[in-house]
Amino acid sequence: QETFVGDQVLEITPRNEEQIKHLVELEAEEHLQLDFWKLPTIPGETAHVRVPFVSIQAVKVFLESQGIAYSTMIEDVQVLLDKENEEMLLNRRR
Amino acid sequence: QRNGNFNFEAYHTLEEISQEMDTLAAQYPGLVSKVNIGQSFEKRPMNVLKFSTGGDKPAIWLDAGIHAREWVTQATALWTANKIASDYGNDPSITSILDTMDIFLLPVTNPDGYVFSQTKNRMWRKTRSKVSGSFCVGVDPNRNWDAGFGGPGASNNPCSDSYHGPHANSEVEVKSIVDFIKSHGKIKAFITLHSYSQLLMFPYGYTCTKSDNFDELNEVAQKAAQSLASLHGTKYKVGPICSVIYQASGSTVDWTYSQGIKYSFTFELRDTGRYGFLLPASQIIPTAQETWLALRTIMEHTLNHPY
C-alpha cells in the first residue's frame, strides 16, 4: 500500500494570470509528482496541491521566488490516513 | 445512526456496500430493486438501485464516486438510498416524487478505482484501464464523456490525473451509463455527486458560455443550496462548472445536458476546507443529511416542472 509520509497539501492563492501561468508550468513538471486537488484557474481563488515529501522544498522555493502566496492545508497526509485507517478498524469491530 | 447491521458513520469496502444494496432490496421488495448496467474494466458489476412504484415512468438519475478517492460521496449515496426507501409512504414529498417518477441510484460509479483506493493508493482518482503505449494506468472518467471531449481542462497525458482517455466513452464505466441513459430515454434529471469544497454546479464545463437554461438552473441550484445550508450552515458556491471551479471538457453533466436532460447538476460535497478527500467518517451523516435537502429540492423541481 502506497504511503504518503511527509506529503503536504498546500493552499495556493495566485494573484494574477501570470502567477496562474507559473502554477500551470509547475504542474507540468512531472518529476515533482504534484497532485492538484483543485487547479489554479481564477486569480484570487485558491488552488490545492498535494506535494510529495521529496518535492516540498523545491515547490516552496519556487512559490516564494515568484511571490505566490501559499499556506499549508494539510501538514502530513499520512497522519490523516492513519487516523482514517484506525477509524475504519474501530468501526469494523463495532 | 444504524439500520440493521450497517453503520453509516463509517467508510466501507465495495463488498460491504454491495451487501447493503442487497439488504435494501430485500427490505423494500415492492420499491427497491438492484439493476445491473454493466461491468467495470476489472469485471466488477455496475449495480444501480432502482426505486420504482411500478409502470413505465420518467426517471431521475443519481450517481456517486466517479472519482474513486472521494469516499464521502459513495457513503452519502448509500445513506440517501436508505432515506429514499424509508421515506416513501411517510414523507409526502418523496412519496409524490416516487408515485410519478422512478429514481435510479448508482452508489459506486468507479468500482475498480474505489477498490484500488481502499487497498493500494488512497489518492487514486481514475479508472484502472490499461492505456496502450503507456506505463501509466487509468483515465479520468469525468473527462471521458462525449461533450467537448479532448478540449480545454483535460489532459492528453496518460500519466495525468485528468487524462481524458483515447476517445470519448473509452471507459466501460462511462459507456455503461451512456448506454443505459440512452436506452431508458426518459431521464429528466441527472445529478452526479463528487466531493470537494462545497459547490453545486450545472453546465457548461467545457465552455464558459451560458447554457440556454442558465436562469432556471441557477435558480434551482440557489434554492437547493439554501435548503442544504439550513441544516448545518454549510455554504455552497453555485454556478456553471466553468466559472465556479475551472474549465473541464468531457464531463458528465455536459453530456447529459447535450442529451436533453435539462436538470443536470453536479455536486461537490463538503470537505470543510481542511481535509480534502480525507473527510473524517464522523462527518458522513451530517454531509448526507444536508445533501439530501438539496437533492430533494432538485427532485421536487423536476417533478413540478415536467418537460
Side-chain angles (χ1 to χ4, degrees):
Chain A
Q1 189 165 26
E2 195 165 327
T3 58
F4 301 87
V5 178
D7 288 15
Q8 293 190 343
V9 179
L10 302 182
E11 181 168 86
I12 303 171
T13 313
R15 245 193 345 259
N16 50 41
E17 294 291 346
E18 198 191 338
Q19 291 192 343
I20 289 174
K21 209 175 131 206
H22 286 313
L23 291 174
V24 171
E25 286 164 4
L26 194 67
E27 189 199 6
E29 295 292 333
E30 277 186 29
H31 69 283
L32 294 173
Q33 294 180 298
L34 302 183
D35 172 13
F36 271 85
W37 288 6
K38 189 175 165 208
L39 289 165
T41 51
I42 304 166
E45 280 288 322
T46 56
H48 297 157
V49 57
R50 179 174 59 81
V51 186
F53 177 69
V54 291
S55 305
I56 286 174
Q57 205 183 353
V59 170
K60 287 184 176 176
V61 166
F62 176 83
L63 293 173
E64 283 159 21
S65 71
Q66 301 298 328
I68 302 174
Y70 72 91
S71 60
T72 306
M73 184 173 135
I74 298 176
E75 280 285 346
D76 186 337
V77 172
Q78 191 59 43
V79 171
L80 280 186
L81 294 184
D82 290 344
K83 280 186 189 156
E84 187 176 67
N85 272 330
E86 279 170 29
E87 217 177 16
M88 285 177 77
L89 288 171
L90 184 71
N91 274 310
R92 198 145 295 155
R93 282 200 294 270
R94 279 170 62 194
Chain B
Q1 307 294 310
R2 282 158 180 264
N3 178 10
N5 290 321
F6 197 82
N7 180 5
F8 289 103
E9 229 175 0
Y11 291 119
H12 291 273
T13 63
L14 185 67
E15 288 72 26
E16 287 164 352
I17 291 175
S18 182
Q19 280 164 19
E20 179 59 12
M21 289 168 72
D22 288 335
T23 302
L24 201 59
Q27 207 176 343
Y28 299 94
L31 181 68
V32 185
S33 56
K34 200 166 87 170
V35 178
N36 180 266
I37 63 161
Q39 282 189 329
S40 65
F41 181 80
E42 292 175 342
K43 310 287 180 213
R44 294 187 175 88
M46 304 264 299
N47 287 329
V48 178
L49 287 171
K50 180 181 181 183
F51 300 84
S52 177
T53 54
D56 183 27
K57 297 189 176 98
I60 293 167
W61 171 277
L62 307 171
D63 68 59
I66 198 168
H67 287 146
R69 62 192 181 183
E70 298 168 4
W71 286 2
V72 77
T73 67
Q74 294 93 337
T76 295
L78 212 53
W79 185 94
T80 302
N82 275 271
K83 182 72 176 159
I84 294 169
S86 60
D87 273 9
Y88 179 72
N90 297 313
D91 175 76
S93 167
I94 199 69
T95 305
S96 85
I97 290 167
L98 281 172
D99 282 343
T100 313
M101 306 181 86
D102 293 340
I103 299 174
F104 291 94
L105 189 151
L106 175 60
V108 187
T109 305
N110 178 2
D112 297 347
Y114 188 70
V115 170
F116 197 75
S117 77
Q118 292 244 343
T119 55
K120 298 284 192 325
N121 180 346
R122 178 65 182 87
M123 296 298 140
W124 193 259
R125 159 187 168 103
K126 300 193 283 183
T127 61
R128 291 295 299 164
S129 60
K130 302 281 186 295
V131 180
S132 160
S134 173
F135 62 88
C136 289
V137 170
V139 165
D140 181 342
N142 198 36
R143 301 288 184 277
N144 191 243
W145 301 71
D146 195 6
F149 177 82
S155 174
N156 59 8
N157 174 1
C159 297
S160 165
D161 263 338
S162 57
Y163 174 49
H164 50 55
H167 56 84
N169 298 340
S170 63
E171 301 314 284
V172 66
E173 296 83 355
V174 171
K175 181 74 167 49
S176 299
I177 301 172
V178 165
D179 289 346
F180 178 80
I181 298 297
K182 281 183 171 173
S183 69
H184 186 281
K186 287 198 290 186
I187 303 289
K188 299 296 177 184
F190 190 109
I191 306 166
T192 182
L193 300 178
H194 293 240
S195 61
Y196 205 80
S197 68
Q198 299 97 230
L199 309 168
L200 176 49
M201 300 175 289
F202 47 86
Y204 294 109
Y206 71 90
T207 169
C208 291
T209 54
K210 274 188 182 179
S211 69
D212 289 345
N213 300 104
F214 173 89
D215 289 338
E216 184 184 2
L217 297 180
N218 193 47
E219 189 190 317
V220 179
Q222 296 284 0
K223 212 170 135 190
Q226 280 166 19
S227 308
L228 186 153
S230 68
L231 190 62
H232 299 296
T234 307
K235 295 266 190 302
Y236 265 56
K237 211 165 142 186
V238 169
I241 300 165
C242 186
S243 57
V244 168
I245 185 160
Y246 42 67
Q247 197 167 8
S249 58
S251 70
T252 313
V253 294
D254 278 355
W255 178 78
T256 56
Y257 187 74
S258 78
Q259 294 299 299
I261 303 174
K262 180 163 67 164
Y263 300 120
S264 291
F265 293 93
T266 177
F267 276 81
E268 293 282 357
L269 307 185
R270 66 154 83 173
D271 73 338
T272 77
R274 293 179 55 208
Y275 298 106
F277 310 111
L278 310 173
L279 195 70
S282 59
Q283 292 198 31
I284 294 170
I285 291 173
T287 305
Q289 285 171 330
E290 68 185 14
T291 305
W292 170 247
L293 299 178
L295 290 175
R296 199 175 59 179
T297 301
I298 295 171
M299 291 195 288
E300 283 167 353
H301 186 89
T302 306
L303 174 71
N304 297 327
H305 297 79
Y307 65 96

